[in-house]
Amino acid sequence: MNHFHRITTILGIVTLLNAGAVAVQAQPQPIQIVQKNNAEEIFREGLKKIEQGNFQGAINDFTEVLKINPNISDAYYFRGLARDLLEDNEEAIKDYSEAIRLDPKNTYAYNNRGTVYAELKDYEKAIEDYDRALDKDSENANAYYNRALAHTALGKPEKALADFQKAAELYKKQGQTADYEDAMNRIKELNPEQ
């Protein structure tokens, strides 16, 4: 079974989000929040929900953020990730695409959109996205690994082998031992003499 690598790490993103003031009750008792409309706060809640595995809740939060400010690339990216993890492939592709439109340097969105295309068995589109991710970040080990899986599925073992080797090299350099070992196992499968 092919296991594509998604970028799921919450990156500690600091995004300036424009938001309105918090509505409060005007009574002589302590101030109470009656409406949560601070985009930054809602965004952080969405990230927490992804970490907790509450993907539908995260989708709802990022949708709320986008109602406040529809130009936040990271909100589209993380909503796409939540949809991706729920296997809502078409909506995930739309969100990743919008994240890329707003931030063409977002290599994570290219990588993850590529994984969705690969899961849909559209390996050519997947490879195009992995290529774009690697054009922008040649140290993206997951993009090499995923492109290798796509090449394998297309019956191109030489290209797959080269990408698995590069992924293994980068995983080792980045201290990602489990991913390094996985890539090395893939290399052995493709080239048993090594």
Side-chain angles (χ1 to χ4, degrees), residues 141-156:
N142 287 340
Y144 281 108
Y145 182 94
N146 292 337
R147 189 171 70 179
L149 290 175
H151 283 309
T152 300
L154 290 173
K156 299 178 180 177

Side-chain angles (χ1 to χ4, degrees), residues 42-163:
I42 299 167
F43 186 90
R44 281 195 297 266
E45 286 297 315
L47 293 178
K48 285 181 195 172
K49 288 176 182 170
I50 286 178
E51 289 176 340
Q52 297 164 350
N54 179 0
F55 304 127
Q56 188 57 57
I59 290 167
N60 296 341
D61 285 347
F62 294 123
T63 299
E64 195 62 33
V65 168
L66 292 166
K67 286 179 186 174
I68 296 167
N69 183 345
N71 296 312
I72 301 172
S73 172
D74 292 330
Y76 284 105
Y77 169 77
F78 284 107
R79 187 173 72 176
L81 176 62
R83 287 177 165 164
D84 187 357
L85 294 169
L86 287 174
E87 299 180 10
D88 184 358
N89 294 329
E90 296 305 318
E91 292 302 312
I93 287 171
K94 288 178 188 175
D95 279 343
Y96 289 142
S97 296
E98 187 62 14
I100 290 165
R101 187 188 71 77
L102 292 169
D103 180 9
K105 296 178 184 175
N106 188 336
T107 61
Y108 303 114
Y110 281 114
N111 182 74
N112 287 10
R113 188 175 70 179
T115 65
V116 176
Y117 284 133
E119 289 167 357
L120 295 171
K121 305 210 183 312
D122 191 342
Y123 299 112
E124 295 295 339
K125 276 189 178 177
I127 289 170
E128 287 175 21
D129 274 350
Y130 302 139
D131 287 345
R132 288 183 186 129
L134 292 166
D135 285 345
K136 293 164 186 5
D137 178 9
S138 62
E139 300 287 301
N140 188 331
N142 287 340
Y144 281 108
Y145 182 94
N146 292 337
R147 189 171 70 179
L149 290 175
H151 283 309
T152 300
L154 290 173
K156 299 178 180 177
E158 300 83 22
K159 288 184 175 188
L161 186 60
D163 280 346

